[in-house]
Amino acid sequence: MTRTVWDSSVGKKTVMAVSGLIMLMYLVVHMFGNLKIFFGSGDFNHYAHWLRTLGEPFLHYEWALWIIRVVLVVAVVAHATAAYQLSRRDIRARPNKYVHKKPRSSYATRTMRWGGIILGLFIVWHILDLTTGTAHPGGFQPGHPYQNVIDTFSTWYGDVIYIVAMLALGLHIRHGFWSAAQTLGAGSRTRDRALKAIADVLALVLTVGFISVPVGVMTGLVS
């Protein structure tokens, strides 16, 4: 039964919709957490520590954080795999080139595709930079996330990578939220306008919220 659902285009779109909404919920919480950096190193570092003690004493140290990470990895892999397979299926369905040059896919489809690639590469860089410290500029300091963020956004390339990725994220959310609503049956002629408005607001708030952090470092508001 599960295999049958996964093999169908509707099943893959449903997986994309559900996994996308899981990631969206995480992004909203993550953005609010990031904004604590404007309240100083004490608040921001305390928030980072709280994430590791979440669920104690029922859960051990960092267990909740690892559960969140595992859920996110599963969501990202499922989302990317379904998107790739749907894209390949679409290409196989139309193997012949058009006689006259026409756009093969809509602006939204191309944005989602390339935006997804940009975000995938960004996630790898972001983890290597601020989680493992492998690609971190300067000396990575475990347990001092405030200073690590300052270090990253004190470099021009750190700002460029992050801002470009967040702009891609905004476009991805704007198109993806509405598509997910349609896939899950929430869309209708009367609700479409409201769903598109919600998608626009979510995309704008998340993009501005995330980008405000590197801008705060660049302008000296966060130092």
Side-chain angles (χ1 to χ4, degrees):
M1 177 65 179
T2 303
R3 181 72 185 185
T4 302
V5 172
W6 172 253
D7 286 340
S8 68
S9 294
V10 172
K12 293 183 189 300
K13 289 179 180 178
T14 301
V15 168
M16 284 189 68
V18 173
S19 59
L21 291 175
I22 289 172
M23 290 185 285
L24 179 59
M25 288 188 288
Y26 166 77
L27 287 169
V28 171
V29 175
H30 188 43
M31 181 202 69
F32 278 111
N34 281 3
L35 293 178
K36 285 185 174 291
I37 201 167
F38 291 100
F39 294 93
S41 61
D43 276 21
F44 191 72
N45 289 340
H46 178 70
Y47 164 69
H49 177 72
W50 172 81
L51 286 175
R52 286 159 174 76
T53 60
L54 184 63
E56 288 186 345
F58 180 73
L59 298 175
H60 288 290
Y61 184 75
E62 284 197 344
W63 276 23
L65 190 58
W66 275 106
I67 290 170
I68 293 169
R69 286 169 175 166
V70 170
V71 171
L72 283 173
V73 168
V74 171
V76 169
V77 171
H79 195 80
T81 302
Y84 174 76
Q85 292 183 356
L86 282 170
S87 177
R88 299 303 300 171
R89 183 171 293 182
D90 180 59
I91 292 173
R92 287 196 301 269
R94 292 182 292 177
N96 298 321
K97 293 182 179 180
Y98 293 105
V99 176
H100 300 290
K101 195 170 183 178
K102 294 181 181 179
R104 169 166 244 157
S105 56
S106 67
Y107 166 76
T109 301
R110 292 195 303 274
T111 299
M112 293 293 283
R113 187 173 299 162
W114 287 105
I117 293 172
I118 290 171
L119 291 171
L121 294 173
F122 167 76
I123 289 171
V124 173
W125 173 80
H126 196 50
I127 291 172
L128 293 176
D129 176 28
L130 293 175
T131 301
T132 67
T134 309
H136 187 73
F140 181 76
Q141 302 179 50
H144 295 82
Y146 184 90
Q147 187 57 50
N148 292 332
V149 171
I150 298 294
D151 291 343
T152 293
F153 296 134
S154 294
T155 63
W156 68 267
Y157 60 86
D159 294 326
V160 170
I161 292 172
Y162 195 86
I163 291 173
V164 168
M166 293 307 100
L167 291 173
L169 175 67
L171 290 173
H172 208 76
I173 290 171
R174 183 172 181 268
H175 297 308
F177 180 83
W178 186 79
S179 296
Q182 301 303 309
T183 298
L184 298 176
S188 69
R189 297 180 71 179
T190 56
R191 290 196 291 263
D192 277 356
R193 181 175 295 181
L195 287 170
K196 288 180 178 179
I198 293 172
D200 289 342
V201 171
L202 277 172
L204 179 62
V205 169
L206 285 169
T207 302
V208 172
F210 279 119
I211 288 179
S212 67
V213 176
V215 171
V217 175
M218 283 188 287
T219 57
L221 188 59
V222 176
S223 61

